[in-house]
């Protein structure tokens, strides 16, 4: 691969980054090529030793998405960070996706329980409207108690979701820093 | 050597080299790849990450040959981090060496 081919490929794979950051990255590799050539190496030798531009871009993109998820916690940013983490290799498919799905399931279940409990008085009301004869005070009080419990669970889930999201971003960061610095030459 | 294993160690290598003197990227890459087989291109993402974590600062310096070079300088935070990492590495490598020696003795 020539210097131009290497730089073009890297440039194309880094489309998502801001122009400023992309320039900064490309400059590092330009400098690397320039010094290598001054030492008498050919462009092909230098490019070979650098490795695949796509792999380099994958690491940089994973880093970028993580930073975004960290500064601006939205579901979309989280998904992109997880996706980019998985993109670093098969090893990561299991290490990243497994905990993520488990976490998602726990959070989703918690929210569903909290909301269902909170809305239970509504069900009693609907029941009374449809079958006016069936009203029992016990139902009403039980549902009010459930509603209170549901509200507590919902508030708890709100905080738990925040904590878990932060924790998971940290886990992703640790994971990317481990997988990063890809030392394979293939 | 195992790929996953080498990755973490690379960080210590970079930090150690920068503790002695400021270096430019190419220099760091060459000095490490002389001793350890690496994909040289992945060193730059590593340097970027450590810079963003605040362990290095960078500055440009003119060179007599070719374009100006980006030098990396270890910060105080970077030094603290290096010493932490070195301590961990020493404990880890001592433990591994001990296990290897015990293994060798048992085989005799």
């Amino acid at each position: 691969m020539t210097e131009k081919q290497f730089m073009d490929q890297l440039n194309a794979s880094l489309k998502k980054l801001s122009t400023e950051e992309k320039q900064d990255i490309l400059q590092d590799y330009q400098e690397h090529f320039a010094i290598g050539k001054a030492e008498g190496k050919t462009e092909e030798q230098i490019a070979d030793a650098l490795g695949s531009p796509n792999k380099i871009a994958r690491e940089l993109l994973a880093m970028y998405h993580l930073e975004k998820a960290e500064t601006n916690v939205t579901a979309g940013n989280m998904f992109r960070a997880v996706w980019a983490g998985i993109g670093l290799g098969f090893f990561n498919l299991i290490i990243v996706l497994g905990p993520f799905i488990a976490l998602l399931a726990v959070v989703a279940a918690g929210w569903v329980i909290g909301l269902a409990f909170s809305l239970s008085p509504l069900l009693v009301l609907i029941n009374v409207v449809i079958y006016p004869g069936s009203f029992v005070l016990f139902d009403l009080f039980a549902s009010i108690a459930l509603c209170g419990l549901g509200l507590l669970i919902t508030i708890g889930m709100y905080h738990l979701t925040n904590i878990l999201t932060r924790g998971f971003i940290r886990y992703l960061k640790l994971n990317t820093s481990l997988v990063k610095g890809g030392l394979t030459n293939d | 050597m195992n790929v996953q294993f080498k990755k973490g160690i690379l960080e210590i290598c970079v930090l150690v080299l920068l503790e002695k003197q400021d270096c430019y990227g190419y220099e760091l890459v060459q000095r490490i790849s002389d001793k350890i087989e690496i994909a040289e291109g992945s060193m730059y993402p590593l340097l970027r990450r450590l810079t963003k974590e605040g362990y290095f600062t960078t500055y440009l310096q003119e060179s007599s040959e070719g374009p100006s070079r980006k030098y990396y300088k270890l910060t105080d935070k970077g030094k603290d981090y290096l010493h932490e990492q070195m301590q961990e590495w020493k404990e880890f490598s001592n433990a591994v060496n001990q296990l290897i020696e015990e293994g060798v003795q048992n085989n005799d």
Side-chain angles (χ1 to χ4, degrees):
Chain A
M1 200 184 290
T2 65
E3 175 175 355
K4 190 175 179 313
Q5 282 169 332
F6 182 94
M7 297 304 286
D8 285 349
Q9 241 188 69
L10 189 60
N11 190 15
S13 323
L14 292 177
K15 261 192 308 231
K16 282 182 196 144
L17 302 189
S18 70
T19 333
E20 196 185 332
E21 183 142 19
K22 202 165 62 178
Q23 274 311 317
D24 202 32
I25 291 166
L26 291 177
Q27 207 156 18
D28 284 344
Y29 290 96
Q30 263 160 11
E31 189 186 299
H32 188 92
F33 269 104
I35 300 173
K37 281 193 285 189
E39 284 191 351
K41 289 186 188 157
T42 68
E43 288 183 8
E44 279 79 10
Q45 278 171 340
I46 300 168
D48 271 356
L50 281 174
S52 144
N54 289 332
K55 259 192 173 166
I56 295 169
R58 275 211 295 263
E59 287 177 21
L60 289 162
L61 284 174
M63 203 162 34
Y64 164 77
H65 285 303
L66 261 174
E67 270 165 33
K68 252 178 87 174
E70 209 176 10
T71 48
N72 186 9
V73 183
T74 67
N77 281 345
M78 276 294 280
F79 273 114
R80 278 186 282 274
V82 168
W83 194 242
I86 291 168
L88 289 174
F90 175 72
F91 167 75
N92 259 22
L93 183 68
I94 304 152
I95 299 294
V96 170
L97 202 58
F100 184 65
I101 290 174
L103 210 70
L104 219 59
V106 169
V107 169
W111 278 101
V112 168
I113 292 171
L115 291 177
F117 277 13
S118 314
L119 295 177
S120 57
L122 218 62
L123 293 178
V124 176
L125 226 65
I126 293 170
N127 191 33
V128 170
V129 171
I130 300 175
Y131 307 105
S134 72
F135 181 74
V136 184
L137 267 183
F138 173 76
D139 282 358
L140 183 68
F141 289 125
S143 72
I144 288 172
L146 266 185
C147 175
L149 192 65
L151 286 176
L152 284 179
I153 292 178
T154 309
I155 293 166
M157 276 317 293
Y158 175 75
H159 292 293
L160 191 69
T161 309
N162 275 343
I163 294 167
L164 285 179
T165 311
R166 266 171 226 301
F168 190 70
I169 288 174
R170 269 166 98 191
Y171 172 74
L172 272 183
K173 262 185 109 171
L174 178 79
N175 169 269
T176 1
S177 69
L178 270 180
V179 178
K180 209 170 289 176
L183 283 152
T184 38
N185 276 323
D186 54 26
Chain B
M1 207 196 288
N2 182 299
V3 173
Q4 294 296 335
F5 183 63
K6 273 200 283 189
K7 284 168 186 171
I9 297 167
L10 210 58
E11 228 178 73
I12 305 182
C13 299
V14 173
L15 290 162
V16 165
L17 287 174
L18 285 175
E19 197 186 26
K20 269 180 267 169
Q21 70 197 71
D22 301 356
C23 295
Y24 52 95
Y26 187 87
E27 197 180 2
L28 283 171
V29 173
Q30 292 311 314
R31 288 183 63 180
I32 291 175
S33 70
D34 279 350
K35 295 213 166 66
I36 308 172
E37 194 187 321
I38 54 167
E40 296 181 0
S42 59
M43 282 290 292
Y44 290 98
L46 179 107
L47 290 172
R48 278 187 84 71
R49 182 165 55 81
L50 292 176
T51 307
K52 282 187 178 171
E53 306 260 345
Y55 299 142
F56 310 147
T57 52
T58 61
Y59 60 92
L60 283 176
Q61 193 170 311
E62 296 298 323
S63 140
S64 53
E65 47 210 283
S68 55
R69 292 165 177 177
K70 187 194 216 173
Y71 278 78
Y72 295 86
K73 182 184 177 60
L74 199 63
T75 61
D76 287 340
K77 191 179 169 193
K79 272 179 204 157
D80 292 344
Y81 182 66
L82 167 63
H83 292 137
E84 252 171 56
Q85 295 289 306
M86 279 207 303
Q87 191 54 39
E88 265 180 46
W89 168 251
K90 272 181 199 152
E91 283 165 17
F92 176 74
S93 59
N94 279 342
V96 174
N97 284 335
Q98 244 172 40
L99 286 171
I100 290 174
E101 274 166 32
E102 281 168 21
V104 170
Q105 278 165 7
N106 288 344
N107 283 338
D108 287 342

